[in-house]
Amino acid sequence: VVEGAGSPAEINLRAGDIANMGFAEAVDCPVILIADIDRGGVFAHLIGTLNLLAESEQHRIKGFVINRFRGDINLLKPGLDWLEQHTHKPVLGVLPYLQNFHLEAEDALIQQPLKAETQSIKIIVPVLPRISNHTDFDALRLHPNVDFQYITTGQVIPPCDLVILPGTKNVRHDLAWLHQNNWPDYLQRHLRYGGKLLGICGGFQMLGKTINDPHGIESTAGQSHALGYFDIHTTLQRDKQLHKKTGRLWLNNCPVSGYEIHAGISEGAALNHPAITTSAQTDGAVSPDQQIAGTYFHGLFDETPACDALLHWAGLVAPHSPDYIGLREAQINRLAACVEQHINVDNIIRIMS
């Protein structure tokens, strides 16, 4: 099963399409077209998309699913009947709108907070132009005691307890963006007043002294001076590191698990003071005063013990973090049950075979 990204009918992007119909044509697979009725104009979306596809791609569409429907399904039925008669393709199901539903959205940055409880600690993350793996922060966005905020271009950077520099698809480009938006001056002031600073993956690389891209992996070949908090030099390499890992935080030897996905290899004296110790090696770095930490681990806040330890380090008294992993699994199961109830799964299996 493969998932598309966005619309398959973006005619300005068709030449380089590797995620939607271009991929489906290459691997010769059937396609189900899904439309979000909550946005309005669902029948125009479906018919318009179908008409913009090439003839071979139109034949590849085997049916429709309508997502996020609110209200009485009987009021929608005349439209569904018309759609099937007009296209000669079946409507495979209509999924209802799920209230208070959380599913990690890797492709889209969700700005709004997810809770209304009283917060007692403030965490901010800069929205880098090429930010990646921002699902790292979903557990914080859901946390009842965390006031979490993404900071975008031109936005006033507020005082906070913890700044997290996130992952990025282009670390040198996003490092330049930090300089252009006065983040280095802010970070110096933030640390001077006792705030904490954490870098994850590309954000960790930014905390070092230099970032070298001799092969032009992410952009033009060259070197950038980083923020200089750690005695670390990072070199981007053609082979990407991709690992699932477990280890223990420098904070009370707390257990942590996550994954690494990065192109850089970091070397330097700061690595002698690791943020995480694994069975085979160490990861990241911590400053001597423990105000600054960096790691290649993604998913750092997902497990309750690690989240509690990191929030206590950032200044939250007696944290008690929700079971984010359990919540995530419950939401996935909720969605699976909804799909099973409202979509003819047997028809989809026949389409796939």
Side-chain angles (χ1 to χ4, degrees):
V1 178
V2 294
E3 179 189 14
S7 168
E10 300 290 353
I11 54 177
N12 56 309
L13 302 176
R14 296 298 299 281
D17 178 17
I18 60 171
N20 293 299
M21 299 309 293
F23 183 86
E25 293 270 83
V27 301
D28 189 24
C29 71
V31 173
I32 297 168
L33 191 58
I34 304 175
D36 181 0
I37 196 171
D38 195 53
R39 297 176 182 271
V42 69
F43 296 109
H45 288 167
L46 290 168
I47 296 298
T49 297
L50 206 59
N51 288 342
L52 287 173
L53 298 178
E55 185 176 355
S56 63
E57 296 169 338
Q58 291 178 5
H59 290 309
R60 199 169 290 283
I61 303 292
K62 302 302 181 184
F64 308 109
V65 169
I66 292 178
N67 194 18
R68 306 217 304 168
F69 175 71
R70 313 182 197 218
D72 185 353
I73 190 69
N74 293 318
L75 299 178
L76 185 64
K77 193 173 186 311
L80 303 180
D81 293 340
W82 176 89
L83 181 63
E84 291 186 334
Q85 294 166 7
H86 185 81
T87 63
H88 306 291
K89 298 178 186 293
V91 175
L92 298 168
V94 177
L95 292 172
Y97 187 98
L98 297 179
Q99 298 286 350
N100 301 315
F101 177 67
H102 170 69
L103 191 67
E104 293 179 339
E106 178 64 22
D107 289 339
L109 194 68
I110 308 299
Q111 294 278 17
Q112 70 270 24
L114 296 177
K115 71 276 182 181
E117 292 89 342
T118 301
Q119 292 89 39
S120 56
I121 189 172
K122 187 172 185 64
I123 298 175
I124 64 173
V125 172
V127 181
L128 305 175
R130 290 168 174 79
I131 187 172
S132 67
N133 302 92
H134 51 75
T135 52
D136 283 343
F137 312 117
D138 280 16
L140 299 177
R141 293 176 54 241
L142 286 164
H143 201 294
N145 301 121
V146 174
D147 177 7
F148 181 88
Q149 187 177 359
Y150 284 116
I151 306 299
T152 57
T153 302
Q155 188 174 351
V156 175
I157 311 174
C160 70
D161 300 286
L162 172 63
V163 177
I164 306 177
L165 301 182
T168 165
K169 299 181 181 72
N170 190 320
V171 63
R172 291 175 62 218
H173 179 278
D174 284 349
L175 176 63
W177 180 89
L178 286 179
H179 283 283
Q180 293 162 7
N181 287 270
N182 301 316
W183 277 91
D185 291 342
Y186 171 87
L187 291 176
Q188 287 186 7
R189 186 168 62 253
H190 169 76
L191 292 168
R192 188 165 63 247
Y193 284 97
K196 299 297 198 299
L197 174 60
L198 174 66
I200 299 177
C201 198
F204 167 48
Q205 295 172 350
M206 293 179 185
L207 296 175
K209 289 189 174 180
T210 61
I211 299 168
N212 306 288
D213 189 0
H215 308 293
I217 301 298
E218 293 183 344
S219 56
T220 305
Q223 181 185 88
S224 296
H225 291 286
L227 298 173
Y229 291 113
F230 287 140
D231 181 15
I232 292 173
H233 301 272
T234 298
T235 301
L236 304 184
Q237 298 182 337
R238 290 189 175 95
D239 294 331
K240 182 167 285 191
Q241 304 293 314
L242 178 59
H243 310 283
K244 289 186 68 176
K245 286 194 170 182
T246 60
R248 292 190 174 271
L249 287 173
W250 86 97
L251 298 164
N252 301 323
N253 209 28
C254 175
V256 63
S257 64
Y259 66 95
E260 294 187 17
I261 177 169
H262 58 92
I265 299 295
S266 299
E267 298 176 313
L271 300 178
N272 294 326
H273 305 279
I276 297 175
T277 302
T278 70
S279 59
Q281 60 188 70
T282 57
D283 174 90
V286 179
S287 64
D289 60 5
Q290 296 200 19
Q291 243 190 303
I292 308 170
T295 176
Y296 276 117
F297 267 53
H298 291 290
L300 201 59
F301 297 95
D302 288 2
E303 293 187 329
T304 300
C307 190
D308 279 349
L310 288 162
L311 291 179
H312 186 264
W313 168 67
L316 182 62
V317 178
H320 184 67
S321 302
D323 179 9
Y324 177 71
I325 293 177
L327 171 67
R328 181 172 60 194
E329 289 301 308
Q331 294 291 286
I332 291 172
N333 288 334
R334 180 186 176 196
L335 178 60
C338 178
V339 170
E340 190 173 32
Q341 179 181 352
H342 294 281
I343 288 184
N344 191 324
V345 178
D346 289 338
N347 276 352
I348 292 179
I349 291 173
R350 281 194 290 272
I351 287 170
M352 290 194 298
S353 59

